[in-house]
Amino acid sequence: MQHCKEKRPSSENPSLRSLALAFGRDVRLRRIFLLGLASGFPWLLIGSAMTAWLKDEGLTRSAITLFGAVFVVYTVNFLWAPLVDHVRLPGLHRLGHRRSWIVLCQAMMIGLTVLLAVSGPALSLWLTAALALGIAISSATQDLAIDAYRITIIGEDEPELIGHGAAMATCGWWTGNLLPGTVAFWLVAPLGWPLVYLLLTGVIAAIMALVVFLFREPATTARSSTWKGASWREWLERTYIDAVAEFFRRNGVALAFGLLAFIFLFKVGEAFLGRTVILFYKEVGFSDADIGTYSKGLGWFVIVPCSIAAGIFAGRFGVVRGLLFAGVAMAATNLLFSWIAVAGPDTRLFSLAVIADGITSAFSTVAFVTFISYYTSRLHTAAQYGALASLGNSSRTLLAASSGMVVDGLGGDWALFFVLTAVMVLPSLAVLVWIARRVAVKVPSGSG
């Protein structure tokens, strides 16, 4: 195992020109972008669009945010991550190990979304919840395969591309979440949510076609044949247990627990804001068209270039500095939403908040993805990355599901609520400072 100190500015570090050249020259980065789009799109289906649909159906804040508990599967998807690493899918495996899992998950999402559009919460809230849960399971499993694809498609002798890959994945994720979301919120008034959801299935179908016909399998993939003839006990030891043991052995117990604490805490404040923000916009007085134009459309134009800038920043100044900057900026940005709560539906202030939130979201996501990627072994790629990403998602699922209750408990005081979300960022920054002081950013080589 090799470690290195945090990167300093040098001529070898990424620049805007090098990233642009890499994106134009290296088809792998374009594929990572498209897979990022596939990863972000389901969060629109069962996230902001579903929140608005349920609000239009008259559900309460608490009920709507509790409905978001379907996202808990993103917290526990590490439980079946070794299956994605090692199980061969009959029939589909001719596409390649990673691509076969991606295509299976996307086909399931298409079918479930069509059923959701045909039924909808007006027919049965329980059926809607079950279909949303199915989409979440398919999406969370797809994420495991996509993250493993992204990490293994970049060679171990290409560390400079890790930041580029994280930037492209982030750009793709927000593109998949925001651009279709812009169109969806524009069309909901004339078409209604059921027809909008039917149209949205075309996005998944288009991505699936690209994966099938244009993508290539990474040269380094999991081999299911390794486990043939093994007992269940041996299989569990070689997948789940070995993946956990390798992580602690490579990093040491103290650092490993510090990393886990930071990953869990970093997104807590953003999670509480993100789960309730659509409700907030509608209660303050913004229309669906306003939400589509500013939150989705303007947000995309901010987040994508800032994600590229964040990848360059992390390469030049180190991922820990990027995380510290993003954490402080997240806390400050959340206070802008408190200002909106006091001022009312001012579109100029809305624009300012969206721009600030887009900048901080881009920097935090790119730095966070890069940070986790550095600490992921290539031997247990899906299992380790899935577990670490699940831990980071847990704040967006387990904790954020109660955010509507918190607002209700505050008597609908949105201004105070957003102040609290700003304070929630601070504990993670304290842990990050401890990590930086302990190891000067110890970064595994990735060989595991």
Side-chain angles (χ1 to χ4, degrees), residues 12-26 29-30 32 154 160-169 171 304-316 366:
E12 297 179 354
N13 283 324
S15 64
L16 181 59
R17 181 174 181 273
S18 70
L19 181 55
L21 289 174
F23 185 78
R25 181 176 61 245
D26 198 330
L29 292 180
R30 298 195 291 276
I32 288 172
I154 295 176
E160 72 282 355
L161 288 181
I162 294 177
H164 287 340
M168 289 301 102
C171 288
V304 169
C306 286
S307 297
I308 296 172
I312 296 168
F313 183 96
R316 286 185 174 274
V366 171

Side-chain angles (χ1 to χ4, degrees), residues 137-208:
I137 293 171
S138 303
S139 171
T141 306
Q142 176 193 238
D143 284 355
L144 295 171
I146 285 175
D147 289 327
Y149 184 99
R150 173 177 56 81
I151 292 172
T152 54
I153 203 172
I154 295 176
E156 295 182 76
D157 58 343
E158 302 173 296
E160 72 282 355
L161 288 181
I162 294 177
H164 287 340
M168 289 301 102
T170 303
C171 288
W173 196 98
W174 284 108
T175 298
N177 184 277
L178 295 178
L179 283 191
T182 302
V183 177
F185 277 93
W186 282 346
L187 293 179
V188 68
L191 300 181
W193 283 113
L195 185 54
V196 166
Y197 265 70
L198 281 176
L199 293 175
L200 289 175
T201 59
V203 176
I204 313 175
I207 297 171
M208 187 171 71

Side-chain angles (χ1 to χ4, degrees), residues 1 23 74 82 94 108 125 130 138 181 184 220 236 249 254 389 415:
M1 179 180 66
F23 185 78
Y74 290 93
R94 60 187 178 81
M108 292 175 62
L125 192 59
S138 303
T220 304
L236 289 173
R249 183 171 58 249

